[in-house]
């Protein structure tokens, strides 16, 4: 048997999954770690906790699977993107907590960049909008606010990386400082047309080149995990940011194919092939996971608060004791009773891009109950995703293509049948859930398998994909359109501009 290990380092937990060559899960292990909120709008992680939890799950999953490291062909890494870490090259110690992708502290720097007219330059070279979501201004903040950090960086003493870079640094005992194109493309520092760090952008954000990792395609011999970590040396053969990895794991290799991942946030990507397409509808252009040096692209929309709204119902509102209770509570009422929940806890992402928007619950009456709020919270995930797909389809048509005709779904919240049916109703197209919904980890395993020779090409991987359930729309288009109109009205009440 052939086995591949995926390290899936997410926003709220670290997971390790062993897959066989057919993409089937052999064993899985998961551990949550702390979320640190120093002040409103700030979100941090302890990098040591990330490493410890990730290594612990790797040990646990190998034990569950009854395997030794010598049974593995390779391992792949997928990671929460944009989360930014800087550490000392000599000691390996982070100089500050990891600043999480949700963190908004760099918005003043972003506002200054926009005010000075740099929006077009950044979009042309990177495909991104200027937003605190991305890594570059987080890195700039660390260098400007941690004592002596900028001087150390100028002397070449510091290393910057997204979480994939940190894990590989730890796995190789500091011998390898690398990333892949899909993660580099999320920094606002990387020219996605030429797949290289861009000197003009580095000057603009005042980032010393010496802190940056080496960039490779997503399927590549990145290095070897040291024997003392897993029991034997293991090839590190794949890296991709979580959303590009999910697109790859969903076998969306062709232009026009789209997937939506329902995790802490929601992330919808549509492959555009080798065509770099600028969105006219508030989306960003990003590098897709690239099995070869040839650039490949996708249009992407990001929802900052997706499944996290259920965590808020549990931890903030105390409406439920466990996340799994939300569907039962939501189904106890026939609909949301006119309640709309806009979960803009950390601003709104695509297609609205309002960093100052804040959460709002509108349409409350004396008849509203916590069940209506729970249903509105679940439906907010689908409303935000529908707004993304509508934007994506408009971009596809503008480029001479067709609207998205099917949405492949994955991530933890896609197991919620109520949510998936409502998603199909809003979109008016089939929503397809695959047999393996852990497609983020699966994509990393596939990339590693390509490098290790397990697969001869993406055609071999495409054969593995199978649907588990297809949700077909049942709502009238007039009703769906009215609901989207109501949603947009609620969004306007949450926005500041």
């Amino acid at each position: 048997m052939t086995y591949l290990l995926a390290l899936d380092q997410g926003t709220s937990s670290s997971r390790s999954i062993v897959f066989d060559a057919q993409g089937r899960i052999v064993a899985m292990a998961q551990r949550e770690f702390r979320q640190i909120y120093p002040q409103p709008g700030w979100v941090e992680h302890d990098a040591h906790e990330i490493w410890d939890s990730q290594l612990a799950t790797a040990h646990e999953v190998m034990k569950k699977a009854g395997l030794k490291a010598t049974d593995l062909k390779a391992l792949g890494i997928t990671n929460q993107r944009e989360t930014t870490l800087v550490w000392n090259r000599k000691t390996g110690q982070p100089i500050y907590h990891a600043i999480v992708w949700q963190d908004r502290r760099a918005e003043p720097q972003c506002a200054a960049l926009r005010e000075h007219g740099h929006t077009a330059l950044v979009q042309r070279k990177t495909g991104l909008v200027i937003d605190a979501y991305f890594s570059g201004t987080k890195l700039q903040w660390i260098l400007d606010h941690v004592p002596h950090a900028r001087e150390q960086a100028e002397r070449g003493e510091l290393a910057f990386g997204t979480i994939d870079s940190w894990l590989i640094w730890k796995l190789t005992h500091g011998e390898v400082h690398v990333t892949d194109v899909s993660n580099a493309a999320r920094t606002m520092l990387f020219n996605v047309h030429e797949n290289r760090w861009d000197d003009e952008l580095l000057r603009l954000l005042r980032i010393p080149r010496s802190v940056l990792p080496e960039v490779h395609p997503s399927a590549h011999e990145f290095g070897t995990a040291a024997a003392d970590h897993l029991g034997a040396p293991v090839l590190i053969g794949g890296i991709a940011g979580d959303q590009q990895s999910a697109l790859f794991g969903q076998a969306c290799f062709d232009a026009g194919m789209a997937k939506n991942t329902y995790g802490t946030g929601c992330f919808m990507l549509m492959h555009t092939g080798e065509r770099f397409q600028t969105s006219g509808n508030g989306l960003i252009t990003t590098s897709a996971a690239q099995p070869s040096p040839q650039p490949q692209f996708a249009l992407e929309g990001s929802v900052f608060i997706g499944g996290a709204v259920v965590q808020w119902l549990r931890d903030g509102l105390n409406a439920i004791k466990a996340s799994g209770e939300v569907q039962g509570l939501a189904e106890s009422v026939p609909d949301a009773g006119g309640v709309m929940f806009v979960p803009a806890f950390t601003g709104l992402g695509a297609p609205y891009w309002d960093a100052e928007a804040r959460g709002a619950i509108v349409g409350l009456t004396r008849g509203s109950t916590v069940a209506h709020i729970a249903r509105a919270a679940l439906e907010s995930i689908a409303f935000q995703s529908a707004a993304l797909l509508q934007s994506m389809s408009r971009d596809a048509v503008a480029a001479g293509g067709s609207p998205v005709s099917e949405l492949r779904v994955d991530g933890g919240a896609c197991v919620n049948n109520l949510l998936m049916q409502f998603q199909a109703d809003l979109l008016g197209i089939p929503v397809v859930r695959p047999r393996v919904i852990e497609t983020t980890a699966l994509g990393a395993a596939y990339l590693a398998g390509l490098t290790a020779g397990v697969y001869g090409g993406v055609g071999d991987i495409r054969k593995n994909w199978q649907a588990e359930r297809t949700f077909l729309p049942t709502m009238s288009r007039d009703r769906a359109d009215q609901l989207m109109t109501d949603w947009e009205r609620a969004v306007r009440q949450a926005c500041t501009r």
Side-chain angles (χ1 to χ4, degrees):
M1 292 290 288
T2 297
Y3 298 102
L4 297 161
L5 173 63
L7 305 183
D8 182 357
Q9 205 299 297
T11 307
S12 57
S13 67
S14 297
R15 295 189 299 173
S16 292
I17 304 180
V18 173
F19 294 95
D20 65 17
Q22 286 70 48
R24 295 176 298 218
I25 294 174
V26 177
M28 177 167 56
Q30 179 171 347
R31 293 196 183 188
E32 292 190 2
F33 56 87
R34 278 190 308 154
Q35 308 294 302
I36 302 166
Y37 305 104
Q39 56 180 278
W42 292 27
V43 191
E44 297 176 359
H45 290 157
D46 183 319
H48 292 301
E49 290 182 16
I50 287 176
W51 164 246
D52 290 343
S53 62
Q54 189 66 74
L55 188 61
T57 62
H59 290 156
E60 186 180 341
V61 80
M62 295 297 287
K63 186 176 181 180
K64 280 185 176 180
L67 300 175
K68 301 185 296 294
T70 51
D71 297 318
L72 298 174
K73 276 287 190 179
L75 70 83
I77 295 173
T78 183
N79 57 287
Q80 50 166 319
R81 303 171 305 172
E82 299 96 19
T83 295
T84 299
L85 186 64
V86 178
W87 63 93
N88 185 288
R89 289 182 179 274
K90 189 172 182 180
T91 67
Q93 292 299 310
I95 66 169
Y96 192 81
H97 278 153
I99 300 180
V100 179
W101 59 271
Q102 298 160 314
D103 190 284
R104 306 304 298 172
R105 77 187 68 188
E107 175 53 28
Q109 292 106 294
C110 293
L113 289 169
R114 291 191 292 264
E115 288 164 11
H116 285 93
H118 298 301
T119 299
L121 169 72
V122 169
Q123 186 174 43
R124 185 174 73 251
K125 292 192 171 193
T126 70
L128 309 178
V129 298
I130 296 175
D131 191 83
Y133 175 28
F134 304 111
S135 309
T137 50
K138 292 179 170 69
L139 171 56
Q140 184 184 31
W141 188 95
I142 291 173
L143 295 182
D144 286 342
H145 289 82
V146 175
H148 312 299
R150 187 164 289 282
E151 297 95 309
Q152 290 175 299
E154 297 288 358
R155 293 196 298 267
E157 297 171 5
L158 302 181
F160 149 75
T162 41
I163 298 302
D164 58 306
S165 299
W166 170 243
L167 293 179
I168 290 180
W169 178 276
K170 297 292 284 184
L171 286 168
T172 62
H173 292 306
E175 291 186 4
V176 179
H177 184 210
V178 294
T179 190
D180 88 303
V181 291
S182 69
N183 280 291
R186 312 296 294 189
T187 61
M188 281 195 341
L189 304 170
F190 192 71
N191 188 313
V192 296
H193 305 278
E194 301 171 5
N195 277 350
R196 63 173 179 81
W197 299 114
D198 190 274
D199 289 328
E200 187 175 10
L201 296 174
L202 294 176
R203 285 194 299 271
L204 186 63
L205 272 70
R206 298 184 300 117
I207 304 299
R209 179 177 277 274
S210 63
V211 305
L212 301 172
E214 191 174 344
V215 184
H216 297 292
S218 308
H220 182 81
E221 292 188 10
F222 290 96
T224 302
D228 58 335
H229 290 311
L230 296 173
V234 180
L235 169 68
I236 304 169
I239 302 176
D242 51 12
Q243 303 315 317
Q244 289 96 329
S245 190
L247 189 71
F248 202 83
Q250 284 275 33
C252 293
F253 305 133
D254 304 322
M257 297 183 74
K259 70 89 197 174
N260 196 26
T261 297
Y262 298 82
T264 304
C266 289
F267 301 87
M268 190 178 292
L269 274 73
M270 180 181 74
H271 210 294
T272 61
E274 297 177 8
R275 186 180 77 253
F276 178 93
Q277 181 181 339
T278 300
S279 172
N281 294 282
L283 305 177
I284 59 176
T285 307
T286 194
S287 294
Q290 296 173 11
S292 73
Q294 174 63 47
Q296 295 186 8
F297 302 103
L299 283 174
E300 175 175 334
S302 306
V303 170
F304 294 156
I305 300 294
V309 73
V310 178
Q311 295 172 332
W312 180 81
L313 288 174
R314 182 191 68 193
D315 303 333
L317 202 59
N318 293 322
I320 51 176
K321 289 187 170 63
S323 297
E325 297 173 9
V326 69
Q327 179 166 340
L329 181 59
E331 286 182 330
S332 69
V333 289
D335 54 45
V339 177
M340 286 279 175
F341 189 153
V342 183
F345 300 144
T346 57
L348 286 170
Y352 309 106
W353 295 110
D354 188 340
E356 303 304 322
R358 288 296 175 261
I361 302 175
V362 303
L364 294 171
T365 68
R366 283 291 299 272
S368 300
T369 67
V370 70
H372 292 105
I373 293 172
R375 186 159 186 134
L378 263 190
E379 290 182 352
S380 75
I381 303 172
F383 278 121
Q384 292 177 98
S385 298
L388 293 181
L389 188 124
Q390 289 177 353
S391 296
M392 211 162 267
S393 288
R394 285 194 291 269
D395 280 331
V397 171
S402 301
V404 177
S405 60
E406 171 189 283
L407 182 65
R408 296 185 174 185
V409 297
D410 52 65
C414 87
V415 302
N416 189 306
N417 293 334
L418 175 71
L419 173 60
M420 291 300 99
Q421 183 59 55
F422 189 66
Q423 188 71 86
D425 287 341
L426 285 181
L427 296 176
I429 61 173
V431 168
V432 186
R433 185 167 64 201
R435 287 194 176 177
V436 177
I437 64 168
E438 302 295 347
T439 54
T440 303
L442 182 58
Y446 280 155
L447 289 163
L450 283 171
T451 301
V454 176
Y455 310 109
V458 296
D460 291 344
I461 295 169
R462 196 192 308 271
K463 295 172 187 173
N464 285 347
W465 189 90
Q466 291 180 301
E468 179 264 328
R469 179 168 173 180
T470 298
F471 296 85
L472 298 174
T474 58
M475 183 182 291
S476 75
R477 297 317 303 149
D478 286 346
R479 175 61 178 154
D481 291 344
Q482 182 58 54
L483 285 171
M484 287 304 299
T485 299
D486 294 343
W487 165 256
E488 295 295 341
R489 185 184 302 118
V491 167
R492 288 194 293 275
Q493 294 182 62
C495 285
T496 59
R497 59 173 184 260

